[in-house]
């Protein structure tokens, strides 16, 4: 973490502008090896050529990477048997980075919203919203509405929320998104059932469903893909072409074929 910016820090985006703007950050990340300076920019020049003459960090608004504010940032990537290709959690502001509870599974965002509005969930549960990933959504809808409802009911620190959809930076609490592989293509999230215990250990970058491999293998054999939400049109084409979250959910890395296109 090299930006001393609100809400956790002291300064604002205007202060970054005053010391040279985003170019200061980009130059520092290139020099520290966190960004590949040989990548081409839209001008046809490399990033290193574009930002090599930018100001150095001032040490107050933006710190040098060799002397950061903190060694870790406000976002963490989790791995585990529930997200072998990764999942993302915002750890900034969390009172606790550990949560273990029983799963409450919803096949889409609307089903979870209805349950939260009816208050038919309880403390200690891990709310699982699946089939909202790049292919299943299609397009990874933002789950911020659900988290807002949960916090509005005073349950923000009492439940966890896991989804193969996405969150915005305004998300609070134990909310894990971008689970990969997503449920719709047979990722482990598709195998979770109501009552399964899920453990989230953000400090150690882990998220697991507490089932042995034998049980997961048996469930995988029984799993059947859900019908797509769109069988024709632009969204169906998108779902056919899009890849998974770790690769940027880009449309040239998706599976070659899906059954409903045959």
């Amino acid at each position: 973490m090299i930006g001393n910016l609100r809400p956790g820090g002291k300064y604002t985006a205007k202060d970054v502008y005053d010391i040279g703007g985003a170019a200061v950050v980009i130059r520092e990340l290139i020099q520290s090896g966190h960004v590949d300076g040989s990548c081409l920019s839209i001008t046809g020049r490399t990033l290193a050529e574009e930002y090599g003459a930018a100001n150095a960090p001032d040490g107050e608004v933006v710190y040098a990477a060799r002397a950061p504010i903190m060694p870790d940032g406000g976002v963490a990537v989790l791995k585990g048997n529930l997200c072998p290709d990764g999942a993302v959690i915002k750890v900034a502001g969390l009172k606790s980075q550990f949560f273990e509870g029983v799963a409450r599974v919803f096949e889409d965002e609307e089903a979870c919203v209805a349950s939260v509005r009816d208050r038919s969930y309880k403390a200690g549960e891990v709310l699982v919203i699946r089939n909202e990933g790049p292919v299943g959504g299609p397009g990874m809808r933002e789950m911020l509405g659900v988290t807002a409802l949960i916090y509005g009911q005073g349950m923000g620190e009492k439940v966890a929320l896991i989804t193969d959809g996405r969150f915005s930076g305004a998300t609070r609490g134990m909310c894990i998104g971008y689970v990969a592989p997503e449920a719709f293509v047979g990722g482990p999230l598709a195998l979770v059932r109501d009552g399964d215990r899920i453990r989230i250990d953000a400090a150690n970058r882990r998220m697991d469903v507490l089932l042995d491999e034998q049980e997961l293998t048996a469930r995988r054999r029984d799993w059947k893909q859900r019908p797509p939400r769109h069988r024709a049109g632009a969204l169906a084409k998108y779902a056919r072409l899009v890849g998974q979250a770790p690769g940027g959910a880009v449309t040239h890395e998706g599976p070659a074929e899906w059954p409903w296109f045959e």
Side-chain angles (χ1 to χ4, degrees), residues 13-260:
K14 173 62 166 57
D15 298 303
V16 176
Y17 176 83
D18 289 341
I19 67 166
V24 175
V25 178
I26 296 170
R27 174 187 180 272
E28 181 62 18
L29 293 179
I30 292 171
Q31 293 201 346
S32 65
H34 291 91
V35 169
D36 184 353
S38 69
C39 291
L40 288 177
S41 70
I42 196 171
T43 66
R45 301 202 306 163
T46 66
L47 290 174
E49 290 170 335
E50 285 293 318
Y51 297 105
N55 294 340
D58 68 328
E60 181 63 28
V61 179
V62 177
Y63 285 49
R66 66 179 181 276
I69 299 167
M70 292 195 303
D72 296 306
V75 175
V77 175
L78 309 181
K79 293 289 185 73
N81 68 0
L82 199 52
C83 52
D85 291 340
V88 179
I89 180 172
K90 177 183 171 185
V91 294
L94 278 181
K95 294 179 181 178
S96 171
Q97 294 194 24
F98 183 88
F99 192 98
E100 184 175 321
V102 294
R104 181 79 178 281
V105 180
F106 302 93
E107 301 298 339
D108 54 40
E109 180 189 15
E110 287 80 4
C112 185
V113 167
S115 179
V116 172
R117 281 179 173 161
D118 293 342
R119 297 179 180 265
S120 58
Y121 70 108
K122 58 187 178 181
E125 291 184 331
V126 180
L127 308 181
V128 176
I129 304 176
R130 60 192 181 194
N131 302 305
E132 296 289 1
V135 180
M140 301 186 78
R141 289 193 291 175
E142 185 180 328
M143 304 289 114
L144 185 59
V146 178
T147 59
L149 284 171
I150 291 171
Y151 263 87
Q153 295 175 0
M155 296 287 281
E157 303 293 334
K158 300 176 183 178
V159 297
L161 180 62
I162 299 173
T163 181
D164 48 13
R166 64 185 176 89
F167 293 114
S168 80
T171 300
R172 297 176 292 170
M174 188 66 73
C175 297
I176 299 94
Y178 305 87
V179 172
E182 64 179 293
F184 191 84
V185 301
L189 200 65
L191 310 179
V192 177
R193 298 174 182 172
D194 287 344
D196 291 344
R197 292 199 70 82
I198 293 175
R199 178 179 296 155
I200 304 160
D201 186 354
N204 290 304
R205 306 298 193 255
R206 294 286 307 182
M207 182 169 71
D208 298 276
V209 57
L210 303 185
L211 298 171
D212 58 38
E213 190 56 38
Q214 184 177 2
E215 174 63 20
L216 289 172
T217 299
R219 293 187 186 186
R220 194 170 289 113
R221 283 196 300 264
D222 296 336
W223 177 79
K224 291 182 176 57
Q225 190 177 60
R226 290 167 56 86
R229 288 176 174 155
H230 304 276
R231 292 182 177 271
L235 289 176
K237 181 179 181 181
Y238 173 87
R240 178 189 177 191
L241 297 175
V242 72
Q244 292 294 288
V250 291
T251 53
H252 63 276
E253 293 185 356
E257 292 290 341
W258 289 110
W260 60 86

